[in-house]
Amino acid sequence: MSLQWTAVATFLYVEVFLVLLLCIPFISPKRWNNIFKSRVIQVIAYYGNTYFMVAIAILVFLLIDAFREVRKYSVTEKVDLTNNPTAVEHIHMKLFRAQRNEYIAGFALLLCLLLRRLATLLSQQASLLASNEAFKKQAEGASTAAKKYMEDNELLQEKLRDAGIEVPEGGKKGPGPQEENKTLKAEVKALKEELETSKKALQKSDSDVCAMKKQAESLTREYDRLLDEHSKLQPEVDNQI
């Protein structure tokens, strides 16, 4: 085996090992994704795209060359080899080597593409798993928040019922926000009017109380004056008697 085909065969063995390594079931895609995102692999991947295309081109060229060699040495039935019988074995040996090289180049090219596809699928699967976990946690958080809001809503409805405020039952459509706003404005207006009426009544009561106080004071002064006059007239009445 020539040097170039020895290198291709070694490359093929490395590819088989890497494919088997990527297919190991107990290594999760998440771990493979962490390995792919490591600094060394990132540097290799940064410069590896060019090398990958070069390797594909070399393998395609070698595959075409091996196919040409197979076609070249597949002419034993058309050539008269009676004068040189040993040439049959030589041609068969060349044909065997050409077919071997064709299989080596073909499988190396196939596994090269398969390795790239496996790495891409593992990275995508790891990303999907991470997204699935994030969505699951988000859904659980939303469900927990929704349950909490429902419990708070039920508690608020119970408090409103205890306060004597009518609350629409579940499943029935309550008034819209605009209608509720109008109702609240009407209630506030009514409360303001009641407050003004109460203030006026209080002011009137204060006025009546002040008037009654003044009247009581004047009556007291008049009573004191009458007492003084009576005390003054009492001695004169006693002297006439």
Side-chain angles (χ1 to χ4, degrees), residues 21-171:
L21 187 64
L22 290 175
C23 292
I24 293 176
F26 54 83
I27 300 179
S28 63
K30 186 176 181 181
R31 184 170 297 178
W32 278 120
N33 191 34
N34 293 331
I35 294 172
F36 294 153
K37 288 183 178 179
S38 63
R39 184 177 298 177
V40 177
I41 302 298
Q42 288 292 325
V43 173
I44 294 173
Y46 181 76
Y47 297 100
N49 191 27
T50 304
Y51 295 143
F52 176 78
M53 300 304 296
V54 172
I56 292 294
I58 292 173
L59 289 174
V60 170
F61 176 77
L62 291 175
L63 181 62
I64 294 173
D65 183 65
F67 183 73
R68 183 186 62 82
E69 291 291 324
V70 170
R71 292 288 300 273
K72 177 181 177 181
Y73 293 108
S74 298
V75 293
T76 55
E77 296 178 355
K78 298 180 182 180
V79 179
D80 186 10
L81 299 175
T82 56
N83 296 327
N84 192 5
T86 59
V88 176
E89 295 181 359
H90 180 72
I91 291 176
H92 285 171
M93 182 181 64
K94 291 288 186 178
L95 179 62
F96 170 75
R97 289 178 180 176
Q99 290 175 346
R100 179 200 62 190
N101 294 339
E102 183 182 10
Y103 291 139
I104 290 174
F107 281 112
L109 180 61
L110 178 64
L111 289 179
C112 190
L113 298 173
L114 183 62
L115 271 174
R116 187 180 179 89
R117 188 60 178 170
L118 276 175
T120 304
L121 289 176
L122 286 172
S123 298
Q124 290 178 354
Q125 187 178 3
S127 300
L128 289 175
L129 289 174
S131 300
N132 188 19
E133 291 179 359
F135 289 150
K136 185 177 180 181
K137 291 180 180 179
Q138 187 176 2
E140 290 177 354
S143 177
T144 304
K147 289 181 180 178
K148 183 178 179 182
Y149 292 152
M150 290 177 66
E151 291 176 357
D152 294 340
N153 190 16
E154 291 178 357
L155 182 61
L156 181 60
Q157 288 181 358
E158 290 180 358
K159 289 182 178 180
L160 291 175
R161 292 191 187 97
D162 294 339
I165 300 174
E166 294 183 358
V167 180
E169 297 180 357

Side-chain angles (χ1 to χ4, degrees), residues 10-22:
T10 304
F11 184 68
L12 175 63
Y13 299 149
V14 172
E15 287 179 330
V16 172
F17 173 75
L18 291 177
V19 169
L20 293 176
L21 187 64
L22 290 175

Side-chain angles (χ1 to χ4, degrees), residues 210-229:
C210 291
M212 291 178 66
K213 283 183 178 180
K214 291 179 180 179
Q215 187 176 2
E217 289 176 357
S218 61
L219 289 174
T220 303
R221 286 195 297 272
E222 186 66 23
Y223 180 71
D224 292 337
R225 187 181 64 80
L226 291 174
L227 284 177
D228 292 337
E229 290 180 357

